[in-house]
Coordinates of all heavy atoms in Angstrom, one line a residue:
M25 N -5.2 -9.8 -13.0 CA -3.8 -9.9 -12.8 C -3.4 -9.2 -11.5 O -4.1 -8.3 -11.0 CB -3.1 -9.3 -13.9 CG -1.6 -9.4 -13.8 SD -0.8 -9.0 -15.4 CE 0.9 -9.2 -14.9
W26 N -2.3 -9.7 -10.9 CA -1.8 -9.1 -9.6 C -1.0 -7.9 -10.0 O -0.3 -7.9 -11.0 CB -1.0 -10.2 -8.9 CG -1.8 -11.3 -8.4 CD1 -1.8 -12.6 -9.0 CD2 -2.6 -11.4 -7.3 NE1 -2.6 -13.4 -8.3 CE2 -3.1 -12.7 -7.2 CE3 -3.0 -10.5 -6.3 CZ2 -4.0 -13.1 -6.2 CZ3 -3.9 -10.9 -5.3 CH2 -4.4 -12.2 -5.3
Y27 N -1.0 -6.9 -9.0 CA -0.2 -5.7 -9.2 C 0.4 -5.4 -7.8 O -0.3 -5.5 -6.8 CB -1.0 -4.5 -9.7 CG -1.5 -4.8 -11.1 CD1 -2.7 -5.4 -11.3 CD2 -0.7 -4.4 -12.2 CE1 -3.2 -5.6 -12.6 CE2 -1.2 -4.7 -13.5 CZ -2.4 -5.3 -13.7 OH -2.8 -5.6 -15.0
A28 N 1.7 -5.0 -7.8 CA 2.4 -4.5 -6.6 C 2.3 -3.0 -6.6 O 2.7 -2.4 -7.5 CB 3.8 -5.0 -6.6
I29 N 1.8 -2.5 -5.5 CA 1.8 -1.1 -5.3 C 2.9 -0.8 -4.2 O 2.8 -1.2 -3.1 CB 0.4 -0.6 -4.8 CG1 -0.6 -1.0 -5.9 CG2 0.4 0.8 -4.4 CD1 -2.1 -0.9 -5.4
L30 N 3.9 0.0 -4.6 CA 5.0 0.3 -3.8 C 4.9 1.8 -3.5 O 5.0 2.6 -4.4 CB 6.3 0.0 -4.5 CG 6.5 -1.5 -4.8 CD1 7.4 -1.7 -6.0 CD2 7.0 -2.2 -3.6
A31 N 4.7 2.1 -2.2 CA 4.6 3.5 -1.9 C 5.7 3.9 -1.0 O 6.2 3.2 -0.1 CB 3.3 3.7 -1.1
R32 N 6.2 5.1 -1.2 CA 7.3 5.7 -0.4 C 6.7 6.8 0.5 O 6.0 7.7 0.1 CB 8.4 6.3 -1.3 CG 9.6 6.7 -0.5 CD 10.8 7.0 -1.5 NE 10.3 7.6 -2.7 CZ 10.6 8.8 -3.2 NH1 11.5 9.6 -2.5 NH2 10.1 9.3 -4.3
D33 N 7.1 6.7 1.8 CA 6.7 7.7 2.8 C 7.4 9.0 2.6 O 8.6 9.1 2.3 CB 6.9 7.2 4.2 CG 5.7 6.4 4.7 OD1 5.0 5.8 3.9 OD2 5.6 6.3 6.0
A34 N 6.7 10.1 2.8 CA 7.3 11.4 2.8 C 8.0 11.6 4.2 O 7.8 10.9 5.1 CB 6.2 12.5 2.8
P35 N 9.0 12.5 4.2 CA 9.6 12.8 5.5 C 8.6 13.2 6.6 O 7.6 13.9 6.2 CB 10.6 13.9 5.2 CG 10.8 13.9 3.7 CD 9.5 13.3 3.1
D36 N 8.8 12.7 7.8 CA 7.9 13.1 8.9 C 6.4 12.7 8.6 O 5.5 13.5 8.9 CB 8.0 14.6 9.2 CG 9.4 14.9 9.6 OD1 10.1 14.2 10.4 OD2 9.9 16.0 9.2
A37 N 6.2 11.5 8.0 CA 4.9 11.1 7.6 C 4.1 10.5 8.7 O 2.9 10.3 8.6 CB 5.0 10.1 6.5
L38 N 4.7 10.2 9.9 CA 4.0 9.3 10.9 C 2.7 9.9 11.4 O 1.7 9.3 11.5 CB 4.9 9.1 12.1 CG 4.4 8.0 13.1 CD1 4.1 6.7 12.4 CD2 5.5 7.9 14.2
D39 N 2.7 11.2 11.7 CA 1.4 11.8 12.1 C 0.3 11.8 11.0 O -0.9 11.6 11.3 CB 1.6 13.3 12.6 CG 2.4 13.4 13.9 OD1 2.4 12.4 14.6 OD2 3.0 14.4 14.2
K40 N 0.7 12.0 9.8 CA -0.2 11.9 8.7 C -0.8 10.5 8.5 O -1.9 10.3 8.2 CB 0.4 12.4 7.4 CG 0.8 13.9 7.4 CD 1.6 14.3 6.2 CE 2.0 15.8 6.4 NZ 2.9 16.2 5.3
R41 N 0.1 9.5 8.7 CA -0.3 8.1 8.6 C -1.4 7.9 9.7 O -2.4 7.3 9.5 CB 0.9 7.2 8.9 CG 1.6 6.8 7.7 CD 2.8 5.8 8.1 NE 3.3 5.2 6.9 CZ 2.9 4.1 6.4 NH1 1.9 3.4 6.9 NH2 3.5 3.5 5.4
R42 N -1.1 8.3 10.9 CA -2.0 8.1 12.0 C -3.3 8.7 11.8 O -4.4 8.1 12.1 CB -1.4 8.6 13.3 CG -0.2 7.8 13.8 CD 0.4 8.4 15.1 NE 1.4 7.5 15.6 CZ 2.5 8.0 16.3 NH1 2.6 9.3 16.5 NH2 3.4 7.1 16.7
A43 N -3.3 9.9 11.3 CA -4.6 10.6 11.0 C -5.5 10.0 10.0 O -6.7 10.2 10.0 CB -4.3 12.1 10.7
T44 N -4.9 9.3 9.0 CA -5.7 8.7 7.9 C -5.7 7.2 7.9 O -6.2 6.6 7.0 CB -5.1 9.3 6.6 OG1 -3.7 9.0 6.5 CG2 -5.4 10.8 6.4
R45 N -5.1 6.6 8.9 CA -5.0 5.1 9.0 C -6.3 4.4 8.8 O -6.4 3.4 8.0 CB -4.3 4.7 10.3 CG -4.0 3.2 10.3 CD -3.1 2.9 11.5 NE -2.5 1.5 11.4 CZ -3.1 0.5 12.0 NH1 -4.2 0.6 12.7 NH2 -2.6 -0.7 11.8
A46 N -7.3 4.8 9.5 CA -8.6 4.1 9.4 C -9.2 4.1 8.0 O -9.6 3.1 7.5 CB -9.6 4.8 10.4
A47 N -9.1 5.2 7.3 CA -9.6 5.3 5.9 C -8.7 4.5 5.0 O -9.2 3.8 4.1 CB -9.6 6.7 5.5
H48 N -7.4 4.5 5.2 CA -6.5 3.7 4.4 C -6.8 2.2 4.6 O -6.9 1.4 3.6 CB -5.1 4.0 4.8 CG -4.1 3.0 4.3 ND1 -3.6 3.0 3.0 CD2 -3.4 2.0 4.9 CE1 -2.7 2.1 2.8 NE2 -2.6 1.5 4.0
L49 N -6.9 1.7 5.9 CA -7.2 0.3 6.2 C -8.6 -0.1 5.6 O -8.7 -1.3 5.3 CB -7.1 0.1 7.7 CG -5.7 0.2 8.2 CD1 -5.7 -0.1 9.7 CD2 -4.7 -0.7 7.5
A50 N -9.5 0.8 5.6 CA -10.9 0.4 5.1 C -10.8 0.0 3.6 O -11.4 -0.9 3.2 CB -11.8 1.6 5.3
R51 N -9.9 0.7 2.9 CA -9.8 0.4 1.5 C -9.1 -1.0 1.3 O -9.4 -1.8 0.4 CB -9.0 1.4 0.7 CG -9.7 2.8 0.8 CD -8.8 3.9 0.1 NE -9.0 3.7 -1.4 CZ -8.1 3.5 -2.3 NH1 -6.8 3.5 -1.9 NH2 -8.4 3.4 -3.5
I52 N -8.1 -1.2 2.1 CA -7.4 -2.5 2.1 C -8.3 -3.7 2.5 O -8.4 -4.7 1.9 CB -6.2 -2.5 3.1 CG1 -5.2 -1.4 2.7 CG2 -5.4 -3.8 3.1 CD1 -4.5 -1.5 1.4
E53 N -9.1 -3.4 3.5 CA -10.1 -4.4 4.0 C -11.1 -4.7 2.9 O -11.5 -5.9 2.7 CB -10.8 -3.9 5.2 CG -11.9 -4.8 5.7 CD -11.4 -6.3 6.1 OE1 -10.3 -6.4 6.5 OE2 -12.3 -7.2 5.9
A54 N -11.5 -3.7 2.1 CA -12.4 -4.0 1.0 C -11.8 -4.9 0.0 O -12.5 -5.8 -0.5 CB -12.9 -2.6 0.4
L55 N -10.6 -4.7 -0.3 CA -9.9 -5.6 -1.2 C -9.9 -7.1 -0.7 O -10.1 -8.0 -1.4 CB -8.4 -5.2 -1.5 CG -8.2 -3.9 -2.3 CD1 -6.7 -3.6 -2.3 CD2 -8.7 -4.2 -3.8
R56 N -9.6 -7.2 0.6 CA -9.5 -8.5 1.3 C -10.9 -9.1 1.2 O -11.0 -10.3 0.9 CB -9.0 -8.4 2.7 CG -8.8 -9.7 3.3 CD -8.5 -9.6 4.8 NE -9.6 -9.2 5.6 CZ -10.7 -10.0 5.9 NH1 -10.7 -11.3 5.5 NH2 -11.7 -9.6 6.6
A57 N -11.9 -8.4 1.5 CA -13.3 -8.9 1.6 C -13.7 -9.4 0.2 O -14.5 -10.4 0.1 CB -14.3 -7.9 2.1
E58 N -13.2 -8.8 -0.9 CA -13.5 -9.2 -2.2 C -12.6 -10.3 -2.7 O -12.8 -10.8 -3.9 CB -13.4 -8.0 -3.2 CG -14.3 -6.9 -2.9 CD -14.0 -5.6 -3.6 OE1 -13.0 -5.5 -4.4 OE2 -14.7 -4.6 -3.4
G59 N -11.7 -10.8 -1.9 CA -10.8 -11.9 -2.3 C -9.7 -11.4 -3.2 O -9.1 -12.3 -4.0
R60 N -9.4 -10.1 -3.3 CA -8.4 -9.6 -4.2 C -7.1 -9.2 -3.6 O -6.2 -8.7 -4.3 CB -9.1 -8.4 -4.9 CG -10.3 -8.7 -5.7 CD -11.0 -7.5 -6.2 NE -10.1 -6.5 -6.7 CZ -10.4 -5.2 -6.8 NH1 -11.6 -4.7 -6.3 NH2 -9.6 -4.3 -7.3
L61 N -6.9 -9.4 -2.3 CA -5.7 -9.0 -1.6 C -4.8 -10.2 -1.4 O -5.2 -11.2 -0.8 CB -6.1 -8.3 -0.3 CG -4.9 -7.8 0.5 CD1 -4.2 -6.6 -0.2 CD2 -5.4 -7.4 1.9
L62 N -3.5 -10.1 -1.8 CA -2.5 -11.1 -1.5 C -1.8 -10.8 -0.2 O -1.7 -11.6 0.6 CB -1.5 -11.2 -2.7 CG -0.5 -12.3 -2.5 CD1 -1.1 -13.7 -2.4 CD2 0.5 -12.2 -3.7
T63 N -1.3 -9.5 -0.1 CA -0.7 -9.1 1.1 C -0.6 -7.5 1.1 O -0.8 -6.9 0.1 CB 0.7 -9.6 1.2 OG1 1.3 -9.4 2.5 CG2 1.7 -9.0 0.2
A64 N -0.5 -7.0 2.3 CA -0.3 -5.5 2.4 C 0.3 -5.2 3.8 O 0.1 -5.9 4.7 CB -1.7 -4.8 2.3
G65 N 1.1 -4.2 3.8 CA 1.7 -3.8 5.0 C 2.8 -2.7 4.8 O 3.2 -2.5 3.7
P66 N 3.2 -2.1 5.9 CA 4.2 -1.1 5.9 C 5.6 -1.6 6.0 O 5.8 -2.7 6.5 CB 3.9 -0.2 7.1 CG 3.4 -1.1 8.1 CD 2.6 -2.2 7.3
F67 N 6.6 -0.8 5.6 CA 8.0 -1.1 5.8 C 8.5 -0.3 7.0 O 8.6 1.0 7.0 CB 8.8 -0.6 4.6 CG 8.5 -1.4 3.3 CD1 7.9 -0.6 2.3 CD2 8.7 -2.7 3.2 CE1 7.6 -1.3 1.1 CE2 8.3 -3.3 2.0 CZ 7.8 -2.6 0.9
P68 N 8.8 -0.9 8.2 CA 9.3 -0.2 9.3 C 10.6 0.5 8.9 O 11.4 0.0 8.2 CB 9.5 -1.2 10.4 CG 8.6 -2.4 10.0 CD 8.6 -2.3 8.5
A69 N 10.8 1.8 9.4 CA 12.0 2.5 9.1 C 13.2 2.0 9.8 O 14.3 2.3 9.4 CB 11.8 4.0 9.5
I70 N 13.0 1.2 10.9 CA 14.1 0.5 11.6 C 13.8 -1.0 11.7 O 12.7 -1.4 11.4 CB 14.4 1.1 13.0 CG1 13.1 1.0 13.8 CG2 14.8 2.6 12.9 CD1 13.3 1.4 15.3
D71 N 14.8 -1.7 12.0 CA 14.7 -3.2 12.1 C 14.0 -3.6 13.4 O 14.6 -4.0 14.3 CB 16.1 -3.8 12.0 CG 16.0 -5.3 11.9 OD1 14.9 -5.9 11.6 OD2 17.0 -6.0 12.1
A72 N 12.6 -3.4 13.4 CA 11.8 -3.7 14.6 C 10.4 -3.8 14.1 O 9.9 -3.0 13.2 CB 11.9 -2.6 15.6
P73 N 9.6 -4.7 14.7 CA 8.2 -4.9 14.3 C 7.4 -3.6 14.7 O 6.4 -3.3 14.0 CB 7.7 -6.1 15.1 CG 8.9 -6.6 15.9 CD 10.1 -5.7 15.7
D74 N 7.7 -2.9 15.7 CA 7.1 -1.7 16.1 C 8.2 -0.6 16.1 O 8.9 -0.5 17.1 CB 6.4 -1.8 17.5 CG 5.7 -0.5 17.9 OD1 5.8 0.5 17.1 OD2 5.1 -0.5 19.0
P75 N 8.3 0.2 15.0 CA 9.3 1.2 14.9 C 9.1 2.4 15.8 O 10.0 3.3 15.8 CB 9.3 1.6 13.5 CG 7.9 1.4 13.1 CD 7.4 0.2 13.9
G76 N 8.0 2.5 16.5 CA 7.8 3.6 17.4 C 7.9 5.0 16.6 O 7.4 5.1 15.5
P77 N 8.6 6.0 17.2 CA 8.6 7.3 16.5 C 9.4 7.3 15.3 O 9.4 8.2 14.5 CB 9.3 8.2 17.6 CG 9.9 7.3 18.6 CD 9.2 6.0 18.5
A78 N 10.2 6.2 15.0 CA 11.0 6.2 13.7 C 10.0 6.0 12.5 O 10.3 6.5 11.4 CB 12.0 5.0 13.7
G79 N 8.8 5.5 12.8 CA 7.8 5.4 11.8 C 8.1 4.4 10.7 O 8.8 3.3 10.9
F80 N 7.7 4.7 9.5 CA 7.8 3.8 8.4 C 8.5 4.4 7.2 O 8.4 5.7 7.1 CB 6.4 3.3 8.0 CG 5.7 2.6 9.2 CD1 4.9 3.3 10.0 CD2 6.0 1.2 9.4 CE1 4.3 2.6 11.1 CE2 5.4 0.6 10.5 CZ 4.6 1.3 11.3
S81 N 9.0 3.6 6.3 CA 9.6 4.2 5.1 C 8.7 4.1 3.8 O 9.0 4.7 2.8 CB 10.9 3.5 4.8 OG 10.8 2.2 4.5
G82 N 7.6 3.3 4.0 CA 6.7 3.1 2.9 C 5.8 2.0 3.1 O 5.7 1.4 4.2
S83 N 5.1 1.5 2.0 CA 4.1 0.4 2.1 C 4.2 -0.4 0.9 O 4.6 0.1 -0.2 CB 2.7 1.0 2.3 OG 2.6 1.8 3.5
L84 N 3.6 -1.6 1.0 CA 3.5 -2.5 -0.1 C 2.0 -3.1 -0.1 O 1.6 -3.5 1.0 CB 4.5 -3.7 0.0 CG 4.3 -4.9 -1.0 CD1 4.5 -4.4 -2.4 CD2 5.1 -6.0 -0.6
V85 N 1.4 -3.1 -1.2 CA 0.1 -3.7 -1.4 C 0.2 -4.6 -2.6 O 0.6 -4.1 -3.7 CB -1.1 -2.7 -1.5 CG1 -2.4 -3.4 -1.8 CG2 -1.2 -1.8 -0.3
I86 N -0.1 -5.8 -2.5 CA -0.2 -6.7 -3.7 C -1.7 -7.2 -3.8 O -2.2 -7.8 -2.9 CB 0.8 -7.9 -3.7 CG1 2.2 -7.4 -3.5 CG2 0.6 -8.7 -4.9 CD1 3.2 -8.5 -3.4
A87 N -2.3 -6.8 -4.9 CA -3.7 -7.0 -5.0 C -4.1 -7.3 -6.5 O -3.3 -6.9 -7.4 CB -4.5 -5.9 -4.5
E88 N -5.2 -7.9 -6.7 CA -5.7 -8.2 -8.0 C -6.6 -7.0 -8.6 O -7.5 -6.5 -7.9 CB -6.5 -9.5 -8.0 CG -6.8 -10.1 -9.3 CD -7.4 -11.4 -9.2 OE1 -8.1 -11.7 -8.2 OE2 -7.2 -12.3 -10.1
F89 N -6.3 -6.6 -9.8 CA -7.1 -5.6 -10.5 C -7.3 -6.0 -11.9 O -6.5 -6.8 -12.4 CB -6.3 -4.2 -10.4 CG -6.2 -3.6 -9.1 CD1 -5.1 -3.9 -8.3 CD2 -7.2 -2.8 -8.5 CE1 -5.0 -3.3 -7.0 CE2 -7.1 -2.3 -7.3 CZ -6.0 -2.5 -6.5
P90 N -8.3 -5.5 -12.6 CA -8.5 -5.9 -14.0 C -7.5 -5.4 -14.9 O -7.3 -5.9 -16.0 CB -9.9 -5.3 -14.3 CG -10.2 -4.3 -13.2 CD -9.3 -4.6 -12.0
S91 N -6.7 -4.3 -14.5 CA -5.7 -3.7 -15.5 C -4.7 -2.9 -14.7 O -5.0 -2.5 -13.5 CB -6.4 -2.8 -16.5 OG -6.9 -1.7 -15.9
L92 N -3.6 -2.6 -15.3 CA -2.6 -1.7 -14.7 C -3.2 -0.3 -14.4 O -3.0 0.2 -13.4 CB -1.4 -1.6 -15.6 CG -0.2 -0.7 -15.1 CD1 0.3 -1.2 -13.8 CD2 0.9 -0.7 -16.2
E93 N -4.0 0.1 -15.3 CA -4.6 1.4 -15.2 C -5.6 1.4 -13.9 O -5.6 2.4 -13.2 CB -5.4 1.8 -16.4 CG -6.1 3.2 -16.3 CD -6.8 3.6 -17.6 OE1 -6.4 3.2 -18.7 OE2 -7.8 4.4 -17.5
A94 N -6.3 0.4 -13.8 CA -7.2 0.3 -12.6 C -6.4 0.2 -11.3 O -6.8 0.8 -10.3 CB -8.1 -1.0 -12.7
A95 N -5.3 -0.5 -11.3 CA -4.5 -0.5 -10.1 C -3.9 0.9 -9.8 O -3.8 1.3 -8.6 CB -3.3 -1.5 -10.3
R96 N -3.4 1.6 -10.8 CA -2.9 2.9 -10.6 C -4.0 3.9 -10.1 O -3.7 4.7 -9.2 CB -2.3 3.5 -11.9 CG -1.0 2.9 -12.3 CD -0.4 3.6 -13.5 NE 0.9 3.0 -13.8 CZ 1.3 2.7 -15.0 NH1 0.6 3.0 -16.1 NH2 2.6 2.2 -15.2
T97 N -5.2 3.8 -10.7 CA -6.3 4.6 -10.2 C -6.6 4.4 -8.8 O -6.8 5.3 -8.0 CB -7.5 4.4 -11.1 OG1 -7.2 4.8 -12.5 CG2 -8.7 5.2 -10.6
W98 N -6.6 3.1 -8.4 CA -6.9 2.7 -7.0 C -5.8 3.3 -6.1 O -6.1 3.9 -5.1 CB -7.0 1.2 -6.9 CG -7.4 0.8 -5.5 CD1 -8.7 0.5 -5.0 CD2 -6.5 0.5 -4.4 NE1 -8.6 0.2 -3.7 CE2 -7.3 0.1 -3.3 CE3 -5.1 0.6 -4.2 CZ2 -6.8 -0.2 -2.0 CZ3 -4.6 0.3 -2.9 CH2 -5.4 -0.1 -1.9
A99 N -4.6 3.1 -6.5 CA -3.4 3.6 -5.6 C -3.4 5.1 -5.5 O -3.2 5.6 -4.4 CB -2.1 3.1 -6.2
E100 N -3.7 5.8 -6.6 CA -3.7 7.3 -6.5 C -4.9 7.8 -5.7 O -4.8 9.0 -5.3 CB -3.8 7.8 -8.0 CG -2.5 7.5 -8.7 CD -2.5 7.8 -10.2 OE1 -3.6 8.2 -10.7 OE2 -1.5 7.6 -10.9
A101 N -5.9 7.0 -5.4 CA -7.0 7.5 -4.5 C -6.8 7.2 -3.1 O -7.7 7.4 -2.3 CB -8.3 6.9 -5.0
D102 N -5.6 6.7 -2.7 CA -5.4 6.3 -1.3 C -5.3 7.5 -0.4 O -4.7 8.5 -0.7 CB -4.1 5.5 -1.2 CG -4.1 4.7 0.1 OD1 -3.7 5.4 1.2 OD2 -4.5 3.5 0.2
P103 N -5.9 7.4 0.8 CA -5.9 8.5 1.7 C -4.5 8.9 2.2 O -4.2 10.1 2.5 CB -6.7 8.0 2.9 CG -7.6 7.0 2.3 CD -6.9 6.3 1.2
Y104 N -3.6 7.9 2.2 CA -2.2 8.3 2.6 C -1.6 9.2 1.6 O -0.8 10.1 1.9 CB -1.3 7.0 2.7 CG -1.5 6.2 4.0 CD1 -0.8 5.1 4.2 CD2 -2.3 6.7 5.1 CE1 -0.9 4.3 5.4 CE2 -2.4 6.0 6.3 CZ -1.7 4.8 6.4 OH -1.8 4.1 7.6
L105 N -1.8 9.0 0.3 CA -1.3 9.8 -0.7 C -2.0 11.2 -0.7 O -1.3 12.2 -0.7 CB -1.5 9.2 -2.1 CG -0.8 9.9 -3.3 CD1 0.7 9.9 -3.1 CD2 -1.2 9.2 -4.6
A106 N -3.3 11.2 -0.5 CA -4.0 12.5 -0.4 C -3.5 13.3 0.8 O -3.5 14.6 0.7 CB -5.5 12.3 -0.4
A107 N -3.2 12.7 1.9 CA -2.8 13.4 3.1 C -1.3 13.8 3.1 O -0.9 14.5 4.0 CB -3.1 12.5 4.3
G108 N -0.6 13.3 2.1 CA 0.8 13.6 2.1 C 1.7 12.7 2.9 O 2.9 12.9 3.1
A109 N 1.1 11.6 3.4 CA 2.0 10.6 4.1 C 2.8 9.8 3.1 O 4.0 9.6 3.4 CB 1.1 9.6 4.9
W110 N 2.3 9.5 2.0 CA 3.1 9.0 0.9 C 3.5 10.1 -0.1 O 2.6 11.0 -0.4 CB 2.2 8.0 0.1 CG 1.9 6.6 0.8 CD1 2.5 6.1 1.9 CD2 1.0 5.7 0.3 NE1 2.0 4.9 2.2 CE2 1.1 4.6 1.2 CE3 0.2 5.6 -0.8 CZ2 0.3 3.4 1.1 CZ3 -0.6 4.4 -0.9 CH2 -0.6 3.4 0.0
C111 N 4.7 10.1 -0.5 CA 5.1 11.1 -1.5 C 5.3 10.5 -2.9 O 5.4 11.3 -3.8 CB 6.4 11.7 -1.0 SG 7.8 10.6 -0.9
A112 N 5.3 9.2 -3.0 CA 5.4 8.6 -4.3 C 4.8 7.2 -4.3 O 4.9 6.5 -3.3 CB 6.9 8.5 -4.7
V113 N 4.2 6.8 -5.4 CA 3.6 5.5 -5.6 C 4.0 5.0 -6.9 O 3.9 5.6 -7.9 CB 2.1 5.6 -5.4 CG1 1.4 4.2 -5.7 CG2 1.6 6.1 -4.1
E114 N 4.4 3.7 -6.9 CA 4.8 3.0 -8.2 C 3.9 1.8 -8.2 O 3.7 1.1 -7.2 CB 6.2 2.6 -8.2 CG 6.7 2.0 -9.4 CD 8.2 1.7 -9.4 OE1 8.9 1.9 -8.3 OE2 8.7 1.3 -10.4
V115 N 3.3 1.5 -9.4 CA 2.5 0.3 -9.6 C 3.1 -0.6 -10.7 O 3.4 -0.1 -11.7 CB 1.1 0.7 -9.9 CG1 0.2 -0.6 -10.1 CG2 0.5 1.6 -8.9
K116 N 3.3 -1.9 -10.3 CA 4.0 -2.8 -11.3 C 3.1 -4.1 -11.4 O 2.6 -4.5 -10.4 CB 5.4 -3.2 -10.8 CG 6.3 -2.0 -10.7 CD 7.7 -2.6 -10.2 CE 8.7 -1.5 -10.2 NZ 10.1 -2.1 -10.0
P117 N 3.1 -4.6 -12.6 CA 2.5 -6.0 -12.7 C 3.3 -6.9 -11.8 O 4.5 -6.8 -11.7 CB 2.6 -6.3 -14.1 CG 2.8 -5.0 -14.8 CD 3.5 -4.1 -13.9
Y118 N 2.6 -7.9 -11.2 CA 3.2 -8.9 -10.3 C 2.8 -10.3 -10.7 O 1.6 -10.5 -10.8 CB 2.8 -8.6 -8.9 CG 3.4 -9.5 -7.9 CD1 4.7 -9.4 -7.4 CD2 2.6 -10.6 -7.3 CE1 5.2 -10.3 -6.5 CE2 3.1 -11.5 -6.4 CZ 4.4 -11.3 -6.0 OH 4.9 -12.2 -5.0
K119 N 3.8 -11.1 -10.9 CA 3.5 -12.5 -11.3 C 3.7 -13.4 -10.0 O 4.8 -13.6 -9.5 CB 4.4 -13.0 -12.4 CG 4.1 -14.4 -12.7 CD 5.0 -14.9 -13.9 CE 4.6 -16.4 -14.2 NZ 5.5 -16.9 -15.3
R120 N 2.6 -13.9 -9.5 CA 2.6 -14.7 -8.3 C 3.1 -16.1 -8.7 O 2.5 -16.8 -9.6 CB 1.2 -14.8 -7.7 CG 1.2 -15.6 -6.4 CD -0.2 -15.6 -5.8 NE -0.2 -16.3 -4.6 CZ -1.3 -16.6 -3.9 NH1 -2.5 -16.2 -4.3 NH2 -1.2 -17.2 -2.8
V121 N 4.2 -16.5 -8.0 CA 4.7 -17.9 -8.3 C 4.4 -18.8 -7.1 O 4.0 -19.9 -7.2 CB 6.2 -17.8 -8.6 CG1 6.8 -19.2 -8.7 CG2 6.5 -17.0 -9.8
F122 N 4.6 -18.3 -5.9 CA 4.3 -19.1 -4.7 C 3.4 -18.3 -3.8 O 3.3 -17.1 -3.8 CB 5.6 -19.3 -3.9 CG 6.6 -20.2 -4.6 CD1 7.7 -19.6 -5.2 CD2 6.4 -21.5 -4.7 CE1 8.6 -20.4 -5.9 CE2 7.4 -22.3 -5.4 CZ 8.5 -21.7 -6.0

């Protein structure tokens, strides 16, 4: 089943994001390589494709996992969360229609 992982950035998270971006993206790439990724990306903090120093307000990952528990476990192991770039993560079942 598909699951939406909604992460909220901590205040002043940009430097933490930058420091752990490669490790974070490697996990996303692994999902993509396994054919389990629908979409993933950050929410710019301002209305611009490149928010510059304004940074991001959070992230969205929609991916396939065997269970809600597996999706939560995967999300809780993300380098952004461990580094303090993300301050909260919510995982919800997602029904893909289109």
Side-chain angles (χ1 to χ4, degrees):
M25 183 165 176
W26 296 101
Y27 294 91
I29 298 166
L30 299 153
R32 187 170 35 122
D33 274 24
D36 301 317
L38 190 55
D39 287 340
K40 294 172 185 172
R41 272 181 167 270
R42 288 178 177 148
T44 53
R45 186 170 190 263
H48 168 76
L49 291 180
R51 298 179 80 236
I52 303 293
E53 176 58 34
L55 289 174
R56 190 188 68 75
E58 295 167 4
R60 298 172 42 208
L61 182 66
L62 181 61
T63 192
F67 299 114
I70 61 173
D71 189 14
D74 180 358
F80 301 92
S81 63
S83 300
L84 170 68
V85 176
I86 300 178
E88 192 172 31
F89 292 93
S91 67
L92 179 59
E93 183 177 332
R96 283 185 179 141
T97 298
W98 185 91
E100 290 169 0
D102 196 280
Y104 280 177
L105 189 60
W110 288 349
C111 63
V113 175
E114 183 176 9
V115 180
K116 297 181 175 191
Y118 177 80
K119 182 177 178 181
R120 182 178 182 186
V121 175
F122 297 102

